[in-house]
Structure formats: structure tokens, C-alpha cells
Amino acid sequence: MKDWWKTFFRPSIFPIADLIEHPDTRSEIRALSRLLPRGCRVLDVGCGIGRHSIALSEIGYEVTGLDYSRPFSADARRRARRLAAPVRFIRGDMRSMPFREEFDAALSLWTSFGYFTDFKDDLRTLSGIFRALRPGGLLIMDMINGDRLEEFFVPKYWGRMGRVWSLEESRVLGGTDRALLTDRIYIRPGGRVSRAKTFVRIYNRARLRRALTHAGFVGVRFGAGLRPSRRLGVRLLAMARKPAGSLSVKPIAKNR
């Protein structure tokens, strides 16, 4: 499972392109536009094919997207050129980001955090985001809600990502470092099948607050996820800021 993310995030395995025009993506963009001041500089960490980065640039944000995946980064650049979207896409490791006080806000969306088997790498990522933000800059994270995971946990799940059907078989790794281990099968039109295994560290509010505080963030607040869900509480939205400044954002509703 170590470094599974190096090979998983490519179109031939993970068919995320079908989500670009999905209603959930549009809902997430609308929610972000209510939280971020128009025109601010945004860093999208783990941006993938740029489905949020490009959409945000189209409504007035100055966006830089960072992702390790070579094929996803290439797809993002091609799509940005085709749409004339002025997004800067950088291929890089989120544990060693080169930025320092460049951004008003940073995003980690759709559970793009907790992929490393060593917990210290998660802390390195948060510290890098902290350095990348200007004083007063905001971090917005959207992920699986570890406080409600057992309530909503389904060991086997059939789902659909656009035209692609997926079968996910998951188990929870317990102990002091809880994580979600998933065997994934994707079935594309024509019967093409891809398989993969993934690891995602489970964060509840208490654990995420400790990690954010360790990185230097203050004012940590939590709410429901960015997109509507029939299962209230299955997603977790976290907001925190870098001290010594201010950025005007609207408050988020508390998660029940």
C-alpha cells in the first residue's frame, strides 16, 4: 500500500474526468464561491485534472493547482489551454511544496489528504500549506467525516462516476492510526476493467484539529461537506487560518 497514490491517479485507473460536469462539482464550486472573496489567489492542493481549479478561475479567482500525477497534470493543462483558463498547474509532491506566502487561500478537496502511510507526511503537508499562505490566509478542507464513519460505513458499495461503474470493498484499520483500506474495481463502457488498492487516513474533528494546530493554524472550525448529501454528516468541512492577518469569509454552519 505504500505510495499507492503514485500509480493510482491516472485516467486509465481512476476515471475522474466524468465528474467535471457532474452536479456535485457545480455544487462544490458554488459553495466555495460563497466562502472565498472574489479574485483572491488560491492554491488547490491535490488538484487532479483541475476540475475545481479551472472552474474557480472561470469565475474570477487566480488559481494555482498542484498535483503529483503526471497524466492528471497534463490533462489539466490541456483542458485549461482549450478553455483559455489562466490556471498555473504545477506537478509536485504536496509534502515539499515550493511556495512561501503566495496565496490568500488553500484548498484540499474531495478527501485529497491522508494518503501517506506515515502520519508525519500529513503533518509535513499541512506545514507546507501553512508556509504557502499569506498571513491571515484561509485553508478549506473537505473530506470523509471520521466522526460518523461507522454510522455510514458500507463494506461493499456499487457506485457510478459518470459513465463508469465502480465496486469498492473497504475495511477500517483500527488502533491509534485509523485508516480506510479499499479495493477498487472500475468498469468502463465496453467492459474495460481497472483495479487498485487505496489507503486514506481517517480524520475526525479532534484529530484534524490537533494536526492543524500542530502546523500553526488557528481558528479551526467545522461544518458539513461542500456538497449536499442525503446522509447528513458523511462529509466534513474544516476551515482554519494562518495567524497575523484577516481574510473576510462567511461563517459555515456547524455540523450536527
Side-chain angles (χ1 to χ4, degrees), residues 111 113-114 119 122 143-150 153 171-174 176-181 199-205 207-208:
T111 316
F113 181 72
F119 174 64
D122 284 4
M143 63 182 65
I144 296 169
N145 186 354
D147 286 312
R148 307 287 293 275
L149 181 64
E150 279 75 13
F153 182 67
R171 63 185 178 92
V172 175
L173 179 66
T176 58
D177 192 15
R178 296 173 70 227
L180 192 64
L181 309 180
F199 169 99
V200 178
R201 182 166 286 104
I202 298 171
Y203 281 91
N204 59 15
R205 282 173 288 185
R207 189 179 198 185
L208 186 56

Side-chain angles (χ1 to χ4, degrees), residues 193-247:
V193 176
S194 59
R195 302 171 184 269
K197 297 178 182 291
T198 61
F199 169 99
V200 178
R201 182 166 286 104
I202 298 171
Y203 281 91
N204 59 15
R205 282 173 288 185
R207 189 179 198 185
L208 186 56
R209 183 187 296 275
R210 288 195 297 270
L212 289 167
T213 301
H214 181 274
F217 288 97
V218 297
V220 181
R221 295 176 290 157
F222 297 101
L226 287 174
R227 65 179 185 268
S229 174
R230 291 187 297 273
R231 300 180 297 175
L232 183 63
V234 70
R235 307 288 302 175
L236 179 65
L237 179 67
M239 293 181 66
R241 65 178 177 88
K242 186 171 182 174
S246 63
L247 184 66

Side-chain angles (χ1 to χ4, degrees), residues 35 55 61 66-67 85 90 99 103 111 126 129 137 150 154 166 172 175 181 185 203 211 218 229 236 238 245 252:
L35 296 171
Y61 295 97
L66 179 134
D67 202 275
I90 297 174
F99 314 112
F103 302 98
T111 316
L126 291 177
I129 294 173
E150 279 75 13
V154 179
S166 65
V172 175
L181 309 180
I185 299 174
Y203 281 91
V218 297
S229 174
L236 179 65
I252 55 176

Side-chain angles (χ1 to χ4, degrees), residues 5-7 46 66-71 73 90-94:
W5 43 273
K6 288 185 175 180
T7 56
L66 179 134
D67 202 275
Y68 181 85
S69 169
R70 192 181 301 275
S73 296
I90 297 174
R91 181 177 178 263
D93 191 322
M94 66 176 70

Side-chain angles (χ1 to χ4, degrees), residues 3-231:
D3 294 344
W4 61 270
W5 43 273
K6 288 185 175 180
T7 56
F8 177 73
F9 292 106
R10 56 185 62 188
S12 60
I13 296 176
F14 188 49
I16 196 172
D18 284 340
L19 293 182
I20 291 173
E21 300 299 332
H22 194 278
D24 283 350
T25 301
R26 293 193 290 271
S27 293
E28 290 159 1
I29 296 301
R30 286 194 298 269
L32 289 169
S33 70
R34 291 191 293 268
L35 296 171
L36 297 169
R38 191 62 55 87
C40 71
R41 300 188 69 186
V42 179
L43 173 64
D44 187 1
V45 182
C47 66
I49 59 173
R51 65 190 180 101
H52 295 102
S53 300
I54 293 173
L56 286 170
S57 75
E58 290 176 332
I59 57 174
Y61 295 97
E62 185 179 342
V63 186
T64 295
L66 179 134
D67 202 275
Y68 181 85
S69 169
R70 192 181 301 275
F72 276 9
S73 296
D75 281 357
R77 292 189 188 99
R78 283 193 295 268
R79 186 164 164 263
R81 285 196 297 268
R82 187 174 71 251
L83 297 173
V87 183
R88 175 176 61 154
F89 286 109
I90 297 174
R91 181 177 178 263
D93 191 322
M94 66 176 70
R95 294 170 294 182
S96 55
M97 291 181 287
F99 314 112
R100 184 170 294 275
E101 297 192 357
E102 291 187 34
F103 302 98
D104 304 302
L107 308 176
S108 175
L109 306 177
W110 217 55
T111 316
S112 296
F113 181 72
Y115 292 169
F116 307 114
T117 53
D118 187 343
F119 174 64
K120 292 179 182 178
D121 285 333
D122 284 4
L123 297 180
R124 291 188 185 99
T125 299
L126 291 177
S127 295
I129 294 173
F130 185 88
R131 287 192 302 273
L133 288 170
R134 293 170 175 169
L138 263 275
L139 169 61
I140 299 176
M141 306 182 78
D142 175 77
M143 63 182 65
I144 296 169
N145 186 354
D147 286 312
R148 307 287 293 275
L149 181 64
E150 279 75 13
E151 181 179 347
F152 296 116
F153 182 67
V154 179
K156 290 186 178 182
Y157 172 74
W158 272 105
R160 192 171 181 177
M161 296 176 63
R163 298 170 298 168
V164 180
W165 288 95
S166 65
L167 173 61
E168 301 176 0
E169 187 170 356
S170 304
R171 63 185 178 92
V172 175
L173 179 66
T176 58
D177 192 15
R178 296 173 70 227
L180 192 64
L181 309 180
T182 305
D183 291 308
R184 299 169 181 264
I185 299 174
Y186 297 105
I187 306 172
R188 291 167 171 76
R192 288 191 301 122
V193 176
S194 59
R195 302 171 184 269
K197 297 178 182 291
T198 61
F199 169 99
V200 178
R201 182 166 286 104
I202 298 171
Y203 281 91
N204 59 15
R205 282 173 288 185
R207 189 179 198 185
L208 186 56
R209 183 187 296 275
R210 288 195 297 270
L212 289 167
T213 301
H214 181 274
F217 288 97
V218 297
V220 181
R221 295 176 290 157
F222 297 101
L226 287 174
R227 65 179 185 268
S229 174
R230 291 187 297 273
R231 300 180 297 175

